[in-house]
Amino acid sequence: MVQQHRIYVVQFDKGEPDQEELSCKASPPKGGGRRIMYYYHDYGTGGGAGKNGKPAKSRALSLSGFFGLLLICLFGLATLLAAPGAFFSFARTGGAAATAAATQQRQSERCSGIGNDTLCCDRSSRRADMCFARGDLRMHSASASFQLVSSAGRPAEEERIRPYTRKWEAHVMKTIDEVRFRRVPPGEAARCDVRHDMPAVLLSTGGFTGNVYHEFNDGLLPMFVTAGHLQRRVVLVILEYHDWWMTKYGDVVSRLSAFPPIDFTADRRVHCFPEVIAGLRIHGELTVDPARTPEGRSIRDFRRLLDDAYRPRINYLERMERKAARKQRRASKHPAAPAERPKLVIVSRTGSRVIENEEELKAVAADVGFDVRVVRPERSTEMCKIYRDLNASDAMVGVHGAAMTHFLFMRPGKVFIQVVPLGTDWAANEYYGEPAARLGLRYVGYKILPEESSLAREYPAGHPVLTDPAGVAQRGWDVTKKVYLDRQNVRLDLARFREELVAAHRYLVAGKRKGRPKTKPLAI
């Protein structure tokens, strides 16, 4: 049977291991040889192009189209004569809508409906290139390429791609391995060692991998957007593969693919696929746009995937804790059940942007009525343990930085308070504030005053570093990073910050009294 696939390419607008049990072991798919149909639909906006990113050829207007255009022109002329102002208003609004519709139509034609033995790349997005190939595709890591085996006489064709989602950052993209897609005749094709009856998705875990924000924003979320609807019948082919990355995120990866990922560089076997998708779609900062996904999925669907990924391990940890708690209660003569208090997690930092009076903050939060827990994420911290803490929390407090990515682990309806140091207003809102609101959290951005910054001890009062961070930022990213990110700590005005904690506590308690709908904690 011939496998029929239709592919639509999405374009985006700029936005800017102890006891860890992995569940990504290979298991043979049911119904061997079954073919699947999968679709990508374009709901975005952008310029149009045809195959290989070249402009699509214009088509001659049909006779009916000509008369339709003539009627529109006559209507426009009559409107202009009767009411010029109304006409130009119509031209502004209707013209913009028509342009958007035409743009979307052109965009939907890019790489859409490609047939067998076809290679097509979309390079129109500022964030990421994507290539699609269908036919007899063979992974040949020795030559850093995929071979598209074609009948003799087909013209030579080659495309190159660096499958990473920060295309606009040239200095980073230079570090990403490049892969070629080459059309070759049967006589030059590598012999298949492993045959797959499902598509492959090629991606890189290089670049900024190692920073939790980039691991989610540039990797896991785009993986979900690109392959989430394939119901785990997809093979992930990974450039710059890291064992530690799989140890850290294997639970999540196993919810996207039922098969072991392939280390493109180390695995020298020739893997053969009916289709390869090279590169990942990205919708923006820590977000999933339902309008740009095949099934209308959102960031909440990604969070449900995290629930599914971490539930088995968390259930095991909680069983062990309940067992220990029962022993402790039996040993105690007067066991007392703790009062129910909203749970607040302080995400603690080391190095820079540290809360210098963190212990005092804990005391104030407890006095307000919170059950306080401090979490200090480290590279070696088991991810599901962080997920468990935040999934069970009612509020989260932390200073702007990569660790704020963990707001993704909170349940919608809870409170996220981000401390915003001097010079970080835009980034704090763009990267974490707005995405948190889209997840359904109650977001509070606490902007510190100059006297709450450690920079007030380094610069005199009235210095531009304290009074005009936006102006300082105009000197360039290096200055911003050096001054505001690498050398700044915060000492919270606890009287002022207490007001935010009181408001959050009231909101959470009122929500429980009113029975505000919320996502339940992980089932045990």
Side-chain angles (χ1 to χ4, degrees):
M1 174 184 286
V2 177
Q3 184 180 13
Q4 299 293 333
H5 294 210
R6 297 182 62 194
I7 297 180
Y8 298 83
V9 177
V10 178
Q11 178 171 342
F12 329 80
D13 292 331
K14 163 79 167 59
E16 220 255 335
D18 286 340
Q19 298 181 340
E20 185 167 21
E21 301 165 356
L22 302 183
S23 55
C24 57
K25 294 181 180 179
S27 57
K30 298 180 180 180
R34 179 169 61 90
R35 303 294 184 181
I36 59 172
M37 184 81 77
Y38 55 102
Y39 300 87
Y40 304 96
H41 193 78
D42 176 7
Y43 296 96
T45 59
K51 183 178 177 181
N52 301 326
K54 297 178 181 178
K57 296 180 180 179
S58 61
R59 300 179 179 177
L61 288 172
S62 63
L63 186 61
S64 60
F66 171 76
F67 282 113
L69 182 61
L70 181 61
L71 287 173
I72 292 173
C73 292
L74 291 174
F75 170 76
L77 180 60
T79 305
L80 174 61
L81 294 175
F87 173 81
F88 286 113
S89 176
F90 166 81
R92 285 193 298 270
T93 56
T99 300
T103 298
Q104 182 171 349
Q105 175 62 27
R106 289 195 305 271
Q107 185 178 316
S108 67
E109 294 174 357
R110 183 180 300 114
C111 295
S112 66
I114 65 170
N116 198 43
D117 192 18
T118 305
L119 171 61
C120 180
C121 291
D122 175 12
R123 306 186 187 279
S124 59
S125 171
R126 184 173 183 267
R127 285 184 172 269
D129 289 338
M130 292 189 73
C131 289
F132 301 82
R134 180 169 180 255
D136 182 356
L137 285 143
R138 307 187 181 188
M139 187 187 95
H140 192 248
S141 57
S143 62
S145 68
F146 279 87
Q147 299 173 345
L148 176 57
V149 185
S150 303
S151 58
R154 292 293 299 270
E157 186 176 5
E158 179 175 302
E159 294 283 355
R160 296 174 180 244
I161 185 170
R162 299 180 190 268
Y164 190 60
T165 54
R166 301 192 77 82
K167 174 182 170 182
W168 72 95
E169 297 198 60
H171 66 289
V172 174
M173 294 303 293
K174 290 179 181 178
T175 70
I176 304 299
D177 292 345
E178 185 178 68
V179 175
R180 297 182 297 159
F181 281 78
R182 299 188 299 124
R183 187 185 296 280
V184 300
E188 297 180 15
R191 183 176 179 177
C192 293
D193 296 316
V194 184
R195 288 190 178 273
H196 304 267
D197 66 345
M198 64 200 68
V201 170
L202 174 69
L203 64 135
S204 173
T205 54
F208 291 126
T209 298
N211 175 294
V212 68
Y213 166 80
H214 292 287
E215 287 164 1
F216 275 87
N217 188 71
D218 304 340
L220 295 175
L221 273 163
M223 288 166 63
F224 173 76
V225 169
T226 305
H229 63 291
L230 299 180
Q231 300 179 344
R232 301 176 73 213
R233 286 195 48 86
V234 59
V235 177
L236 301 177
V237 180
I238 301 178
L239 292 172
E240 297 162 276
Y241 180 97
H242 302 288
D243 287 331
W244 68 262
W245 184 84
M246 274 304 301
T247 299
K248 187 174 183 179
Y249 295 113
D251 292 325
V252 179
V253 173
S254 71
R255 301 307 305 169
L256 294 170
S257 171
F259 308 93
I262 297 173
D263 182 341
F264 181 84
T265 302
D267 192 339
R268 291 303 173 118
R269 294 175 297 173
V270 177
H271 291 262
C272 298
F273 300 93
E275 190 144 7
V276 176
I277 304 166
L280 300 174
R281 298 179 183 84
I282 180 170
H283 289 169
E285 310 304 329
L286 295 177
T287 192
V288 178
D289 185 350
R292 300 178 184 179
T293 59
E295 299 172 350
R297 297 190 179 193
S298 71
I299 189 65
R300 296 195 184 192
D301 292 291
F302 176 75
R303 198 189 173 285
R304 280 190 281 271
L305 180 140
L306 295 179
D307 271 346
D308 292 340
Y310 292 124
R311 181 178 292 114
R313 176 65 173 156
I314 291 175
N315 286 348
Y316 168 78
L317 293 172
E318 292 182 345
R319 283 197 302 270
M320 295 300 100
E321 290 179 358
R322 286 198 304 274
K323 184 177 180 180
R326 284 195 297 268
K327 290 181 178 179
Q328 185 176 7
R329 284 196 299 271
R330 285 195 295 266
S332 174
K333 294 181 179 180
H334 303 287
E340 186 71 20
R341 291 156 62 94
K343 297 178 177 62
L344 181 143
V345 170
I346 299 174
V347 180
S348 183
R349 290 182 59 91
T350 59
S352 65
R353 281 162 285 153
V354 172
I355 299 177
E356 295 178 339
N357 52 347
E358 187 176 278
E359 288 300 318
E360 292 92 332
L361 170 62
K362 287 172 54 180
V364 169
D367 185 62
V368 167
F370 284 102
D371 180 5
V372 184
R373 180 180 178 87
V374 176
V375 172
R376 294 182 176 88
E378 304 288 347
R379 173 172 285 196
S380 60
T381 304
E382 191 176 351
M383 187 59 70
C384 73
K385 292 182 178 178
I386 302 175
Y387 186 87
R388 178 193 176 196
D389 286 336
L390 287 169
N391 179 72
S393 73
D394 296 293
M396 167 180 162
V397 172
V399 181
H400 170 70
M404 294 301 93
T405 304
H406 295 117
F407 79 77
L408 291 169
F409 297 175
M410 300 183 71
R411 288 169 284 151
K414 302 306 180 182
V415 179
F416 169 36
I417 303 176
Q418 179 180 204
V419 177
V420 182
L422 299 180
T424 66
D425 292 18
W426 179 87
N429 187 61
E430 179 77 7
Y431 297 146
Y432 305 111
E434 291 184 1
R438 286 192 288 267
L439 181 60
L441 300 178
R442 184 181 180 93
Y443 171 68
V444 178
Y446 177 84
K447 298 181 181 181
I448 71 169
L449 301 175
E451 52 267 30
E452 294 175 273
S453 171
S454 63
L455 297 176
R457 301 194 295 267
E458 187 176 346
Y459 295 90
H463 193 282
V465 163
L466 303 176
T467 62
D468 187 21
V472 174
Q474 293 178 0
R475 301 179 191 175
W477 165 249
D478 290 341
V479 174
T480 298
K481 183 177 184 300
K482 180 179 179 181
V483 174
Y484 295 114
L485 300 183
D486 296 343
R487 287 165 43 191
Q488 181 176 198
N489 290 331
V490 299
R491 177 169 289 275
L492 296 173
D493 178 340
L494 293 177
R496 192 165 78 96
F497 196 79
R498 183 189 179 95
E499 296 176 4
E500 301 293 354
L501 293 175
V502 169
H505 188 273
R506 288 175 178 169
Y507 166 79
L508 292 166
V509 171
K512 288 183 178 180
R513 289 174 180 169
K514 295 179 181 178
R516 182 174 59 244
K518 58 182 181 294
T519 303
K520 294 182 179 179
L522 294 179
I524 297 175

